[in-house]
Amino acid sequence: MLHFYTPSFADKALFPSYSKYFAYEYFFSYSVLWKEAIGLTICKTDTALYMHLDVDDCFLLPITDDLPKAMAELEAHCNESGQRFHLECVPSEQALELQKLGYTIEHVRALDDYIYESQKLIHLSGRKLQAKRNHISQFERNYTYSVRSLSTKEMRDECYKMASTTWLETKDCDTKEIQDELRALRLAFDNWDTLGLVGMLVCVDHHLTAFTVGEIIDDQLAIVHFEKGDTSYIGIYSVINQLFCSQYLSDVKYVNRQEDAGVEGLRKAKLSYKPDLMVEKYRVTKQ
């Protein structure tokens, strides 16, 4: 039977150090930032790294070079322990492989990750992205702004203060989703160097207006973990997205901006950037 435990920084080497998968759940940063919110536990054997999410009582795809053997080991664990055999967020390539092995798969659209070419986000070329260029031009005409790296603890603390207070004044800040995200953001800021994060902030007239936090996996993939801004400044999200990619991600081929969670406004915003790829994710069960 498999024995699961809460991951720590000592487990970093167990996770992929390159873009083996494009889905962001399969990188070490995810396990650290979101483990409390989702009740993440892990188990490492000679066959695979297994991850279980208590919040949905499900497993993620085993990280392994021998998927059939890993699935057999996971099934045996579930049969012995009585735990539910149910996988979520399985990328399409592995889901189709599992389907051939006799498993049942179901696409879960709300969990698909949006992938963009970094050069597209930098240059915003073409008619379809004209609106984004217009937003940036309008912002640049209306405001005097500066850009800084999130290189110091003081800058990161100021960003957290704005995200957790001022920018929440018009929202219900007691929701679990917001509190979970703030906890993850605090963990990111407190473990900045260990997680290898990069980030920047935008100030308008010396007032913090937006910030973004990302991670470069390798030359193929970067992940945007957090992006926050004061929406009273028209065009601020278009500006910080473009600036962050141009200053930090220009040598990376693809940028993962995560899923839309089925939120209509978020889906519309992510689709408006015309994703180059979607990391389709599947639910996997066995009848």
Side-chain angles (χ1 to χ4, degrees):
M1 190 165 66
L2 302 177
H3 298 284
F4 286 80
Y5 63 93
T6 302
S8 70
F9 283 97
D11 299 304
K12 184 176 181 178
L14 301 179
F15 290 80
S17 59
Y18 65 99
S19 52
K20 178 172 183 167
Y21 310 104
F22 270 22
Y24 80 101
E25 291 93 349
Y26 297 95
F27 295 99
F28 176 67
S29 53
Y30 174 82
S31 74
V32 171
L33 299 180
W34 298 100
K35 63 182 179 182
E36 292 184 48
I38 60 180
L40 177 70
T41 53
I42 66 173
C43 173
K44 179 66 173 71
T45 70
D46 291 339
T47 304
L49 174 65
Y50 301 96
M51 295 175 282
H52 183 265
L53 279 60
D54 183 65
V55 68
D56 293 317
D57 189 17
C58 68
F59 297 93
L60 299 180
L61 175 76
I63 297 176
T64 180
D65 292 324
D66 190 341
L67 189 54
K69 184 178 179 181
M71 293 299 286
E73 189 171 62
L74 184 58
E75 276 198 67
H77 163 77
C78 290
N79 290 334
E80 185 177 352
S81 66
Q83 202 162 13
R84 183 174 74 144
F85 181 81
H86 182 108
L87 281 68
E88 293 282 2
C89 299
V90 177
S92 57
E93 179 181 348
Q94 289 75 26
L96 293 173
E97 183 180 348
L98 292 176
Q99 187 178 47
K100 291 178 181 178
L101 294 174
Y103 295 94
T104 300
I105 67 173
E106 177 187 355
H107 182 213
V108 184
R109 171 65 180 85
L111 299 179
D112 291 352
D113 286 354
Y114 291 75
I115 308 290
Y116 308 85
E117 290 186 359
S118 65
Q119 293 303 310
K120 172 188 282 188
L121 296 180
I122 292 169
H123 299 292
L124 300 171
S125 302
R127 181 178 58 82
K128 292 181 178 179
L129 295 176
Q130 179 66 52
K132 304 300 180 185
R133 299 197 300 274
N134 292 343
H135 290 158
I136 293 171
S137 296
Q138 182 179 0
F139 184 90
E140 291 177 338
R141 288 195 304 270
N142 292 339
Y143 307 112
T144 300
Y145 70 95
S146 60
V147 177
R148 302 176 189 173
S149 166
L150 279 178
S151 56
T152 68
K153 181 180 183 300
E154 290 73 22
M155 287 182 177
R156 297 192 289 272
D157 286 346
E158 180 62 21
C159 288
Y160 182 80
K161 178 181 177 182
M162 293 297 286
S164 61
T165 56
T166 306
W167 294 345
L168 286 181
E169 289 178 351
T170 59
K171 300 178 182 178
D172 180 3
C173 59
D174 292 327
T175 66
K176 182 180 184 302
E177 290 77 13
I178 288 179
Q179 291 304 314
D180 286 344
E181 186 175 29
L182 288 174
R183 186 184 301 113
L185 180 62
R186 184 72 270 172
L187 284 167
F189 285 159
D190 289 346
N191 299 281
W192 189 262
D193 293 331
T194 304
L195 290 172
L197 301 177
V198 293
M200 59 170 284
L201 58 83
V202 175
C203 291
V204 173
D205 295 329
H206 305 293
H207 297 292
L208 176 61
T209 309
F211 69 85
T212 190
V213 175
E215 176 184 8
I216 298 173
I217 303 300
D218 56 19
D219 62 359
Q220 290 295 303
L221 183 67
I223 299 170
V224 175
H225 288 293
F226 304 98
E227 190 177 74
K228 298 294 179 185
D230 184 344
T231 55
S232 65
Y233 294 87
I234 305 300
I236 186 59
Y237 277 105
S238 296
V239 167
I240 196 164
N241 184 0
Q242 193 268 343
L243 287 174
F244 181 59
C245 289
S246 64
Q247 294 197 19
Y248 289 90
L249 309 182
S250 61
D251 293 331
V252 178
K253 186 172 183 179
Y254 292 113
V255 180
N256 182 326
R257 291 182 59 80
Q258 302 189 34
E259 80 284 348
D260 60 39
V263 178
E264 184 177 353
L266 194 54
R267 178 169 296 184
K268 182 178 180 181
K270 289 179 183 289
L271 287 173
S272 70
Y273 274 96
K274 311 302 176 187
D276 294 284
L277 298 171
M278 297 292 293
V279 179
E280 294 185 351
K281 297 179 189 172
Y282 287 78
R283 177 174 297 130
V284 175
T285 56
K286 189 168 186 178
Q287 295 182 341

